[in-house]
Amino acid sequence: MNGMGRRGLLFGGAAAGAGVLLAGCTSNESNDGDGDGDTGANNQAANNDEPGPAVTIGFAGPQADHGWLNAINEEARRRADEYEDVTLEITEGSNDTAQQIGQIESLVNSGVDVLVVLPADGRSLTQAALSAMNAGIPVINLDRVFDTPQAYRCWIGGDNYGMGLNAGHYIGERLKDVDGAKVVELSGPDNLELTVQRTQGFDDALANYPNIEKVARQAADFTVESGQSVMSGLLQAQPEFHAIWNHDDDQGVGAERAIDQAGRDEFFMVGGAGSLHAMEQIQADNGVLKATVLYPPTMAASAIDLARAVGQAKGVGGLAEFEIPSSITLYSAVVTKDNVEQYLPTGFN
Amino acid sequence: MTTGATQEPTSTASLDKASPPGEPPQTSHADAASNGRPKLVLGKLFDLHTVSLLGVLAVLCLIGGITQGDKFLTTSNLQLVLVQASVIGVVTVGMTFVMIGGGIDLSVGAIVALASVWCTTVATQDFGIGGIIFCALAVGLGCGLVNGVLISYGPMVPFVATLAMMVSARGLALEITGGSTQMVTVDSVLDLGRRDSYIFGIPPLVIMFAVITVLGWVLLNRTTFGRRTVAIGGNPEAARLAGIAVKRQRLMLYALSGLCCGIAAFMLVVLSGSGQNTNGNLYELNAIAAAIIGGTLLTGGRGTIIGSVLGVMVFTTITNLFVLNNLESAFQQIATGAIIVAAVLLQRRSASQQP
């Protein structure tokens, strides 16, 4: 028993020590001060800058479980902070439909003037948005679209088809003088509508270049791990090709590792979404990543702008109309070494 | 407590339990071996499950050779398949112990995620590769211990306790990363995944996988720990009556599984060069599926490390075949499901034909 006690004490002590050491290891603050910082700062002037009547904006979004959604929340917060006349009520993100419906209802009950909603699933939140609209609260629908236009005053979101289109045109232009050019596609999960649209756009663009053949397409699932795994298989399957389009920069981190591990560099890669890491790689220009097509999280900042404009009954600065448009599709710009400096501040972690 | 005292009643008891009403009695080599008869050791290495799995693998290789001979049957592809199998393989070794012990661990994927995220924070990376390894192993072991304590002394049903761990570890991983991908900046870690560091053509990750497999085999087949694991999985009450500290044994099994997850997390960090809260997605299901087609019983008391590792190899080879042939991932999921069903049916049949 005595022996056990001593052993227990020893083990306990070691465990406690390990615990203390571990607890110190959760920090993500960089010591040398060049850490994440103000990555999303968008210096573009806000529209209608002159202060107007006070507006309270309610914001409900999904759980920020990856970089892009995290940037969405950040962009919304930062934009709201820039306006003295805007109060932002932001709910804890959730992927649960029932919970998000509850959040929208409680925002309505607390008397917000305008709602900005990025639904976890557009279809299942349509009713909640409809009842908010019926209660006289305009809804700005962010990115994932509701089932009916009656459920929102304005929809603003990215262009998945355009992403594929622009990626295809960029690759096509670079390869138009190469005979028998081979292109590979590393797509997102096949069960998402957006993946289908991105691939459709890509194929439509490539159809303009008869010398280019898409030799392979494989789906990863937006995670680093799947990107590494699928990309290493693709590299094995295709001993030589000229270009690859990867739908998502998060899985691109894994793809990059697979390329590095295989020691391949005969092709160039185009990414998707526009993460900070991807833009830094494009700027450094020492790897295969030469471009990324944007799916800009700044749309959340624009949604705040639109919500404020609706709340103050203004139009969009620079447009002739007295009201904001009913739908805005963002452009998926191609970020290359030439213009990366301009877009770098919008890159997300 | 002597091992001799534990063995006799235990194996009888597990025999009783392994014959559910309406089914032919299942006498397995694992049960027989726990009687301590050494002549069955070789038989255990190459039992029917193992042979049938080797057959499946051979068929898959044949398909690969026919459809993509120039790409499939190459050194680089063999290296690739083994590397892809290594991370989930280590997790499966730990899972096999838990399942033989009559439990289940749903939290392995989440623990891999948490450990990989924890060991790639900026603060941890300041300590270099040593800090990363320590953090990964300590987080894995710690989570496993929590599971074990909840299950043994809670006492909670393993399904519930590890489900709780699964949810909360993922939550903590998300909290630490804030959803972003944490890049590894320590060169010695990144180098481990590169071609230059292959030793005689064998990737370091594969060596780690092999070492864990061998250690797992020895632990299960050559130590008291292994025999106790089989005993408490076969019939915990008989094992308790035989003087085995069932609770402590269970605790150690979950700790072992957690430790394996920690090791796998480090390997995944090497492989992907980053830590992300989505890491280890669906590992629990993949590991359980691999163990099951490897001949491990969901009810406990039987299973082999070699079977589980072969199960992992089957799944990884299927993935490889699909990517090489540029087939859609939807078909891959269908094929994987079909193989699970086929393998289990095959084993049921071969088990009932044993004397």
Side-chain angles (χ1 to χ4, degrees):
Chain A
M1 229 28 236
N2 228 343
M4 277 298 282
R6 241 198 333 260
R7 207 164 53 178
L9 197 71
L10 215 85
F11 178 75
V20 169
L21 220 106
L22 269 181
C25 282
T26 54
S27 160
N28 260 326
E29 296 302 318
S30 181
N31 286 341
D32 40 304
D34 65 343
D36 6 21
D38 245 13
T39 50
N42 186 354
N43 298 323
Q44 194 97 344
N47 71 35
N48 293 328
D49 264 347
E50 324 81 62
V55 178
T56 305
I57 301 173
F59 185 95
Q63 189 178 38
D65 52 6
H66 64 261
W68 187 83
L69 282 172
N70 201 26
I72 284 281
N73 288 343
E74 285 300 301
E75 291 282 346
R77 275 208 189 89
R78 206 186 332 264
R79 196 61 157 192
D81 281 347
E82 280 174 28
Y83 295 113
E84 283 174 17
D85 47 8
V86 167
T87 314
L88 187 67
E89 280 191 26
I90 194 160
T91 59
E92 186 61 38
S94 168
N95 289 334
D96 181 48
T97 299
Q99 200 171 341
Q100 217 180 5
I101 290 173
Q103 286 170 343
I104 292 172
E105 279 170 2
S106 67
L107 283 173
V108 170
N109 291 340
S110 71
V112 295
D113 302 309
V114 190
L115 269 175
V116 176
V117 181
L118 174 51
D121 176 59
R123 211 158 271 169
S124 46
L125 281 165
T126 303
Q127 283 308 320
L130 263 177
S131 55
M133 288 285 284
N134 289 340
I137 298 171
V139 175
I140 309 293
N141 182 191
L142 189 54
D143 200 41
R144 298 176 193 171
V145 66
F146 291 131
D147 231 9
T148 158
Q150 293 189 65
Y152 55 82
R153 165 62 186 82
C154 171
W155 174 83
I156 176 169
D159 186 4
N160 286 300
Y161 180 84
M163 259 180 107
L165 204 62
N166 292 350
H169 276 303
Y170 174 79
I171 288 175
E173 284 304 307
R174 275 189 73 143
L175 293 179
K176 66 180 170 190
D177 297 327
V178 180
D179 277 335
K182 292 179 181 171
V183 171
V184 172
E185 186 181 9
L186 178 63
S187 79
D190 274 331
N191 56 353
L192 296 183
E193 177 69 17
L194 63 92
T195 300
V196 178
Q197 292 168 350
R198 287 178 190 184
T199 294
Q200 188 62 47
F202 190 58
D203 289 346
D204 288 356
L206 288 185
N208 296 313
Y209 306 91
N211 63 319
I212 297 177
E213 187 198 356
K214 190 167 92 173
V215 291
R217 176 189 183 277
Q218 284 291 313
D221 62 9
F222 286 167
T223 64
V224 177
E225 193 187 342
S226 67
Q228 196 280 338
S229 163
V230 177
M231 188 66 207
S232 55
L234 272 173
L235 289 170
Q236 180 68 31
Q238 305 297 331
E240 203 177 6
F241 57 94
H242 296 85
I244 175 167
W245 182 43
N246 157 44
H247 284 204
D248 177 70
D249 284 336
D250 264 353
Q251 69 188 25
V253 170
E256 224 172 86
R257 281 295 289 162
I259 293 164
D260 177 42
Q261 283 155 358
R264 295 270 291 269
D265 62 356
E266 84 278 3
F267 54 88
F268 68 92
M269 179 154 93
V270 177
S275 74
L276 182 63
H277 174 75
M279 292 198 199
E280 283 170 352
Q281 295 289 105
I282 292 166
Q283 192 173 39
D285 196 22
N286 52 12
V288 292
L289 190 65
K290 298 301 182 199
T292 187
V293 281
L294 292 187
Y295 199 82
T298 47
M299 65 176 71
S302 303
I304 297 295
D305 289 342
L306 291 167
R308 174 174 175 265
V310 167
Q312 299 178 344
K314 290 177 182 168
V316 174
L319 293 185
E321 284 74 22
F322 296 118
E323 311 83 14
I324 64 165
S326 65
S327 117
I328 300 175
T329 308
L330 298 177
Y331 183 68
S332 288
V334 181
V335 177
T336 63
K337 194 174 192 299
D338 297 332
N339 61 9
V340 64
E341 221 149 292
Q342 181 192 349
Y343 291 102
L344 208 51
T346 69
F348 55 88
N349 269 307
Chain B
M1 155 176 51
T2 64
T3 46
T6 68
Q7 279 165 9
E8 231 3 86
T10 303
S11 49
T12 341
S14 59
L15 272 182
D16 293 339
K17 197 198 169 200
S19 329
E23 278 185 43
Q26 296 178 332
T27 321
S28 76
H29 289 298
D31 291 324
S34 63
N35 270 332
R37 271 181 278 162
K39 63 176 176 176
L40 281 172
V41 165
L42 257 188
K44 189 172 179 180
L45 237 177
F46 295 106
D47 67 4
L48 271 172
H49 304 134
T50 316
V51 172
S52 61
L53 272 180
L54 283 172
V56 172
L57 260 184
V59 170
L60 288 177
C61 289
L62 201 66
I63 296 174
I66 292 168
T67 54
Q68 295 286 340
D70 52 330
K71 290 166 188 166
F72 184 78
L73 299 168
T74 58
T75 318
S76 61
N77 196 48
L78 183 65
Q79 288 167 340
L80 171 67
V81 172
L82 287 171
V83 166
Q84 298 299 339
S86 60
V87 178
I88 182 72
V90 169
V91 173
T92 307
V93 169
M95 178 70 86
T96 306
F97 273 92
V98 170
M99 284 173 69
I100 293 176
I104 194 104
D105 189 349
L106 298 179
S107 62
V108 289
I111 296 178
V112 168
L114 179 60
S116 75
V117 156
W118 206 320
C119 75
T120 51
T121 56
V122 173
T124 311
Q125 290 199 41
D126 279 347
F127 293 100
I129 187 169
I132 292 179
I133 294 177
F134 169 78
C135 238
L137 299 193
V139 170
L141 182 63
C143 291
L145 280 171
V146 172
N147 274 339
V149 168
L150 287 177
I151 290 161
S152 285
Y153 302 101
M156 286 170 81
V157 183
F159 190 94
V160 176
T162 57
L163 187 70
M165 175 60 77
M166 170 172 121
V167 178
S168 48
R170 278 245 180 254
L172 186 53
L174 175 57
E175 178 56 35
I176 291 175
T177 60
S180 60
T181 303
Q182 299 177 163
M183 304 299 298
V184 173
T185 50
V186 181
D187 280 333
S188 50
V189 175
L190 294 175
D191 284 344
L192 272 179
R194 293 203 174 100
R195 213 154 262 281
D196 310 339
S197 58
Y198 287 12
I199 299 156
F200 299 119
I202 307 174
L205 290 181
V206 176
I207 295 175
M208 291 183 213
F209 178 28
V211 169
I212 299 294
T213 303
V214 171
L215 287 180
W217 188 87
V218 170
L219 189 62
L220 183 62
N221 299 300
R222 286 283 181 275
T223 64
T224 326
F225 182 89
R227 282 189 289 272
R228 285 179 189 158
T229 304
V230 176
I232 67 163
N235 188 332
E237 185 55 22
R240 191 186 64 80
L241 290 175
I244 296 179
V246 175
K247 288 184 174 178
R248 203 180 60 187
Q249 183 68 19
R250 277 209 187 112
L251 176 89
M252 287 198 284
L253 287 178
Y254 287 95
L256 179 68
S257 174
L259 184 63
C260 284
C261 293
I263 297 168
F266 172 71
M267 294 165 68
L268 186 55
V269 165
V270 168
L271 195 59
S272 66
S274 64
Q276 207 191 17
N277 57 296
T278 53
N279 275 345
N281 189 28
L282 293 185
Y283 271 22
E284 53 282 347
L285 297 185
N286 291 339
I288 292 170
I292 285 178
I293 75 165
T296 303
L297 283 184
L298 258 180
T299 45
R302 195 177 78 190
T304 62
I305 297 296
I306 293 177
S308 295
V309 168
L310 285 176
V312 170
M313 292 307 301
V314 166
F315 285 136
T316 317
T317 310
I318 294 175
T319 308
N320 182 253
L321 282 179
F322 272 81
V323 175
L324 285 190
N325 284 301
N326 196 31
L327 295 171
E328 274 180 51
S329 52
F331 292 119
Q332 186 182 330
Q333 291 162 357
I334 298 170
T336 307
I339 288 211
I340 294 175
V341 173
V344 172
L345 286 180
L346 201 72
Q347 283 161 10
R348 178 76 43 95
R349 178 151 299 191
S350 65
S352 64
Q353 279 166 0
Q354 282 172 39

